[in-house]
Amino acid sequence: MEIEEVKQLQAKAKEIRKMTIDAIGYLGVGHIGGALSVVEILTLLYEKHMDVSPENPRKKHRDKLVISKGHAGPALYSILADKGFFPKEWLHTLNAGGTNLPSHCDMNRTPGIDMSTGSLGQGISAAIGIALANRLDGIDKKVYLIIGDGESNEGQIWEGAMAAAHFRLNNMIAFTDYNKMQIDGYVHEIMNVEDLNAKWNAFGWFVQRVNGHDFQDMNMAIERAQKELYRPSMIILDTIKGKGAFFAERNLANHNMNVNYETAQEACRLLDTPDALEKSL
Amino acid sequence: MNQLEMRAIYAQTLMELAAQDSRIVLLEADLMKASGTTVFRDRFPERTFNVGVAEANMVGVAAGLSAGGKIPFANTFGCFASRRTYDQFFISANYARLNVKLVGTDPGVSAAYNGGTHMPFEDAGIMRNIPKLVVFEPCDPVSLKALVIQSARHQGCTYMRLHRKAIETIYPENETFELGKGKVLNDGNDVTLIAVGAIAVAEALKAAEILIKDGISAAVIDMHTIKPIDTELVLQYAKKTGAILTCENHQVINGLGSAVAETLSEDYPTLMKRLGVDDEFGEVGTQEYLQERFGMTAKNYAACARELLKKKNNIQKKSK
């Protein structure tokens, strides 16, 4: 990937991050930590890799994304709004009664959402089903899946890990958003998931581990995964929960927190002044 | 009477559906031999997915297949289909408004030698709480075939209790069925037995034969769909007979008995008695033993019908 493209992606990610902070701040509360840790991967997928069309969100031949950590919905809504799946004004309706943008992803309410998620662990099975359906129909498209690190405590993740490898789902590319925090504390203190590389390897997946905020690294990993002939891919993303929001980053309480709108706006401004943001952390 | 193995009819019906519709796919969780669907796998290997002993994953994968446009039928024992996959079925399939056909085999006492751990007396009840889900249990090979076809055509999730064993045919071969519409198998004026499933419907019919010898005219209804319940038919027979007995191979809590009681108490309070398992766990034994143990016999149904009639007559005397 050319430097110019990386710069464009970085600029886009900044925009998406601002939109996400703004939407949660406007509401006053939300799952900001786990939304901000996946901004870069979502930006990369939707800007560069995924074949989707906002004018026809349900076209049969398309790449699909299952965001199993459904509480990251607000980040996904920002990129979908930016792509034109729905008006950007919707972002200020997050969690309002009757909204099309609920806290957790809902395929029946939000254009561009491919699977309803929210009960952790379930997205991997759904992604397997979609990958199997694609194979049956000869649809040469990918199913992308994002799971959380805390979510990896769920037994269903490992049932799915076994099945995807068994069915040789090379059309499935998964990511673990390894932001090292879960609701009650640090993952290694609450329920350690390590050694993640070894675990996914042992289950028969093609495993890579990269910086989840670095476009160049992630892009190379995705391109390698796309060339896999037999195995599903797991790309473990080292990320920072609450990345980029001065009030949330590295704050153990950032899973679902109150956010004052002025604070949110201040956080968006700081994103334009990296030095000041660095000092504020 | 002609005895046919229910699981063979089920597999045969699925194969007929699959031959006509490429969207039909099958999922199993290491109980393919028990479900009797190995013949389906042999004919449609590419459309059969055995996920191993992982029921939650099976239902989630079924939801994904549905999201990809398929019509998945997923089978396992009823105890696992309900208790073990409830959240996956609730969220990934039903909440997502997908189209998953979940089948729980070996309902209630038909689990017999597998015993209490494998004996679902509550599966239909907990499924009844899922919004918009259709919950049904065929009572013979003819209704099984017809209702599985209806289930495949229904746009939305269904839960079927499947009695796997060989049982007698009750209906003529060309009988028609509609999910949500009960069938009057025997008309009567004094008391109505509303039954569901292979064991209860067969025993209710035999009970009606016993009762007629005492001069009691008992109606028997096959209420194959417990959700949505056929309100119209329940009310019609409540008005006609004034006494309702519900018969099920299931807990009386939250099953057919509850569904009928809810309908009656809201719209036409009627004397009734719920027969089934009364707040107990299952246990091991032959099916015959367990039917006796939990009162799922024609003899008990007839005795309870007489008791209910006595109450009805006393009330009528008092009101006069």
Side-chain angles (χ1 to χ4, degrees):
Chain A
M1 203 160 51
E2 300 291 327
I3 295 294
E4 202 44 46
E5 194 177 1
V6 172
K7 280 183 180 164
Q8 281 170 13
L9 286 165
Q10 284 167 338
K12 180 57 75 181
K14 188 160 84 175
E15 225 179 296
I16 299 305
R17 182 163 274 115
K18 283 182 184 175
M19 288 162 76
T20 307
I21 296 170
D22 180 82
I24 291 174
Y26 189 82
L27 174 67
V29 61
H31 293 101
I32 194 147
L36 295 182
S37 56
V38 294
V39 165
E40 276 75 16
I41 185 59
L42 290 175
T43 303
L44 180 58
L45 288 174
Y46 279 88
E47 288 295 306
K48 189 172 169 66
H49 291 283
M50 286 180 63
D51 173 10
V52 290
S53 43
E55 54 290 343
N56 186 11
R58 300 217 172 180
K59 73 170 179 176
K60 200 167 164 74
H61 287 254
R62 70 180 193 273
D63 292 315
K64 290 184 177 176
L65 171 72
V66 178
I67 187 151
S68 191
K69 40 173 286 180
H71 55 277
L76 184 51
Y77 302 154
S78 298
I79 190 101
L80 290 176
D82 189 70
K83 299 295 284 182
F85 280 87
F86 48 82
K88 286 183 182 169
E89 292 75 51
W90 284 20
L91 295 174
H92 277 188
T93 70
L94 186 68
N95 286 3
T99 186
N100 288 316
L101 305 182
S103 58
H104 297 80
C105 293
D106 187 330
M107 65 193 292
N108 296 295
R109 286 191 178 265
T110 315
I113 297 288
D114 295 313
M115 183 64 203
S116 297
T117 50
S119 183
L120 294 177
Q122 297 193 20
I124 188 168
S125 306
I128 291 167
I130 293 168
L132 289 171
N134 278 351
R135 183 192 278 175
L136 277 176
D137 290 340
I139 295 174
D140 188 20
K141 293 291 171 191
K142 299 290 183 202
V143 184
Y144 295 95
L145 165 72
I146 300 177
I147 64 172
D149 46 8
E151 182 181 11
S152 302
N153 297 164
E154 289 281 3
Q156 192 174 353
I157 292 292
W158 304 103
E159 290 186 6
M162 211 181 308
H166 179 81
F167 293 132
R168 297 177 180 257
L169 295 177
N170 68 323
N171 55 350
M172 184 168 159
I173 298 174
F175 305 89
T176 298
D177 174 24
Y178 197 8
N179 60 35
K180 323 291 185 296
M181 290 183 195
Q182 56 191 113
I183 297 177
D184 280 348
Y186 293 106
V187 172
H188 72 270
E189 287 178 357
I190 301 302
M191 185 46 67
N192 189 17
V193 295
E194 284 291 4
D195 179 339
L196 274 184
N197 287 52
K199 284 188 172 95
W200 288 98
N201 243 316
F203 277 89
W205 290 53
F206 171 44
V207 187
Q208 303 174 79
R209 183 163 179 168
V210 297
N211 178 342
H213 301 298
D214 186 307
F215 285 105
Q216 200 69 270
D217 282 5
M218 286 194 292
N219 190 57
M220 282 193 286
I222 290 171
E223 285 179 352
R224 278 192 293 263
Q226 286 167 339
K227 292 184 190 118
E228 258 296 312
L229 292 178
Y230 302 108
R231 293 176 295 178
S233 281
M234 170 52 75
I235 302 173
I236 296 162
L237 304 174
D238 278 307
T239 57
I240 295 167
K241 198 163 180 176
K243 170 79 174 169
F246 75 90
F247 58 88
E249 190 172 320
R250 299 190 177 90
N251 177 349
L252 254 185
N254 72 14
H255 183 81
N256 188 11
M257 68 192 298
N258 294 324
V259 184
N260 170 296
Y261 196 38
E262 276 146 33
T263 309
Q265 288 173 314
E266 173 64 12
C268 291
R269 275 193 297 276
L270 278 172
L271 283 170
D272 289 323
T273 52
D275 293 343
L277 174 61
E278 195 59 40
K279 278 182 204 147
S280 73
L281 290 172
Chain B
M1 274 286 229
N2 190 14
Q3 285 227 346
L4 291 170
E5 204 182 40
M6 291 283 270
R7 63 179 171 183
I9 302 292
Y10 173 60
Q12 186 60 39
T13 308
L14 277 190
M15 287 197 290
E16 285 170 25
L17 283 166
Q20 294 158 10
D21 189 338
S22 64
R23 295 173 301 168
I24 302 283
V25 297
L26 173 73
L27 292 104
E28 292 282 355
D30 200 35
L31 284 174
M32 184 178 283
K33 287 179 189 164
S35 306
T37 53
T38 50
V39 286
F40 185 102
R41 177 204 56 196
D42 294 344
R43 175 128 178 240
F44 302 102
E46 75 291 348
R47 284 200 251 165
T48 305
F49 306 102
N50 195 332
V51 301
V53 192
E55 296 81 8
N57 187 45
M58 174 178 75
V59 171
V61 171
L65 279 157
S66 171
K70 303 298 170 193
I71 303 174
F73 279 77
N75 311 318
T76 181
F77 288 163
C79 47
F80 309 136
S82 56
R83 302 197 298 260
R84 210 169 176 113
T85 75
Y86 195 61
D87 192 42
Q88 286 73 23
F89 192 48
F90 195 106
I91 297 294
S92 288
N94 284 273
Y95 180 79
R97 274 58 156 196
L98 291 167
N99 196 17
V100 174
K101 319 301 179 184
L102 184 60
V103 177
T105 67
D106 297 43
V109 296
S110 74
Y113 286 157
N114 271 330
T117 52
H118 288 57
M119 195 163 288
F121 285 144
E122 63 297 311
D123 55 329
I126 59 181
M127 289 302 180
R128 211 161 70 84
N129 275 322
I130 300 181
K132 307 285 180 281
L133 178 65
V134 172
V135 181
F136 69 102
E137 181 177 3
C139 70
D140 88 329
V142 177
S143 57
L144 170 63
K145 179 172 181 173
L147 292 169
V148 167
I149 292 168
Q150 289 239 334
S151 161
R153 288 184 186 146
H154 172 75
Q155 184 56 46
C157 295
T158 62
Y159 178 73
M160 177 173 78
R161 294 183 105 204
L162 173 63
H163 187 98
R164 288 193 284 139
K165 298 169 184 172
I167 52 171
E168 284 180 3
T169 299
I170 292 171
Y171 290 102
E173 204 174 333
N174 53 0
E175 187 71 41
T176 57
F177 295 84
E178 196 181 332
L179 282 171
K181 293 281 170 212
K183 301 283 286 184
V184 180
L185 278 167
N186 193 53
D187 209 354
N189 299 313
D190 300 326
V191 58
T192 306
L193 279 68
I194 302 180
V196 63
I199 293 170
V201 170
E203 295 299 318
L205 282 170
K206 281 186 232 160
E209 286 171 25
I210 297 172
L211 290 166
I212 200 75
K213 287 173 192 156
D214 302 342
I216 298 168
S217 157
V220 177
I221 291 172
D222 167 17
M223 194 59 82
H224 49 72
T225 309
I226 74 157
K227 188 184 180 186
I229 191 87
D230 188 348
T231 308
E232 209 179 313
L233 191 61
V234 170
L235 293 178
Q236 185 192 332
Y237 273 80
K239 286 169 190 168
K240 183 172 181 178
T241 64
I244 303 275
L245 206 64
T246 56
C247 311
E248 59 195 308
N249 174 18
H250 189 274
Q251 287 272 4
V252 293
I253 298 167
N254 217 7
L256 170 72
S258 292
V260 170
E262 287 155 18
T263 302
L264 292 178
S265 60
E266 284 190 356
D267 291 328
Y268 192 80
T270 304
L271 195 60
M272 77 170 292
K273 173 80 183 163
R274 293 170 300 149
L275 299 181
V277 178
D278 189 8
D279 210 21
E280 287 194 87
F281 291 109
E283 60 186 56
V284 79
T286 62
Q287 185 180 306
E288 199 183 13
Y289 167 82
L290 293 165
Q291 280 186 239
E292 284 286 344
R293 163 77 178 79
F294 293 107
M296 296 171 198
T297 59
K299 205 174 130 196
N300 184 51
Y301 290 175
C304 292
R306 283 190 209 100
E307 280 297 305
L308 198 65
L309 260 182
K310 235 183 256 173
K311 272 193 199 171
K312 182 177 106 172
N313 294 336
N314 285 341
I315 292 167
Q316 280 174 349
K317 268 182 220 160
K318 276 181 197 163
S319 67
K320 275 173 194 166

